[in-house]
Amino acid sequence: MARPRSITGERLLAATATVIGRVGPGFTLAQVAAEAGVAVGIFSQRYGSKTGLLQAVSRHSTRETVTRMREYAEVADGGVAGLRAALVQTYAGLGDAETAANHLGQLGVDIGDPALRALLGEHYAAVEDELRLLVEAAAPELPHAPASRRAARTLLAVVNGTALDWSIRPEGELAGRLEEDVDAVLSAWRGREGQ
């Protein structure tokens, strides 16, 4: 009979994200193991390599992001409020500007690796698909919005750009910046520019 795994993958992936936020792309498996309170060997057993671990982190992040988007949209009762809530939370985990910069450093490394870049493409496609559904649900409140696929792509570009800009020029809180920029677009699509 196989022994049960007491060290969850969730714990290992959360430790990886924490360490990346703290030190950036130069992190070591030893640092992640220390954060998780496990032996370094567990990573090679479960993921094979640092790249395998990063692939697992990427897949996990995609699932978590889409799940959080749905949860935030439901709590806000759908419509434009749900769409807005889902958008604002997409980068809720970035933390402070230094943590955000470290994650962006890792993003640069990921873009340079073909397998990780493909997973990033899957991530953004999944987020865009979820946004498209939320835009369609909010369509009665957004009479001036473009077609749902283009609207979703535009909104994703807004939050991605805002997060990048904020990590370089961190004025105020990220959530506040996201709210302002998302509201600027949604207000225009509602026909309420300048409000």
Side-chain angles (χ1 to χ4, degrees):
M1 174 185 283
R3 289 186 345 184
R5 289 187 176 186
S6 60
I7 302 166
T8 65
E10 181 89 22
R11 177 173 152 195
L12 300 175
L13 299 177
T16 305
T18 297
V19 171
I20 290 171
R22 189 180 312 130
V23 301
F27 77 94
T28 66
L29 293 179
Q31 290 169 314
V32 177
E35 178 69 26
V38 299
V40 174
I42 193 142
F43 292 98
S44 61
Q45 291 171 356
R46 294 228 181 139
Y47 305 108
S49 65
K50 185 175 176 180
T51 299
L53 174 61
L54 288 169
Q55 289 173 358
V57 167
S58 182
R59 288 184 188 99
H60 177 72
S61 174
T62 299
R63 287 189 303 273
E64 288 294 306
T65 299
V66 171
T67 298
R68 277 194 324 272
M69 290 173 73
R70 289 178 186 155
E71 290 170 354
Y72 275 70
E74 287 175 18
V75 168
D77 291 327
V80 170
L83 174 60
R84 180 183 187 269
L87 283 160
V88 171
Q89 76 74 40
T90 55
Y91 284 102
L94 274 186
D96 61 24
E98 184 176 342
T99 301
N102 285 334
H103 280 286
L104 285 170
Q106 183 61 53
L107 175 66
V109 170
D110 292 355
I111 290 170
D113 178 281
L116 293 171
R117 185 173 55 245
L119 288 170
L120 280 170
E122 291 175 18
H123 175 85
Y124 289 122
V127 171
E128 187 176 308
D129 286 345
E130 191 63 28
L131 286 173
R132 183 182 49 77
L133 296 173
L134 294 170
V135 166
E136 289 170 359
E141 299 174 68
L142 300 171
H144 302 288
S148 62
R149 187 160 300 284
R150 193 167 110 208
R153 190 177 66 237
T154 300
L155 291 168
L156 181 57
V158 168
V159 295
N160 287 342
T162 298
L164 174 62
D165 183 61
W166 179 85
S167 70
I168 296 166
R169 300 180 302 158
E171 297 173 17
E173 296 292 320
L174 175 57
R177 280 283 305 281
L178 288 167
E179 288 169 352
E180 288 176 11
D181 293 353
V182 165
D183 285 347
V185 174
L186 295 179
S187 291
W189 291 354
R190 291 177 96 169
R192 299 179 181 173
E193 289 183 86
Q195 290 186 359

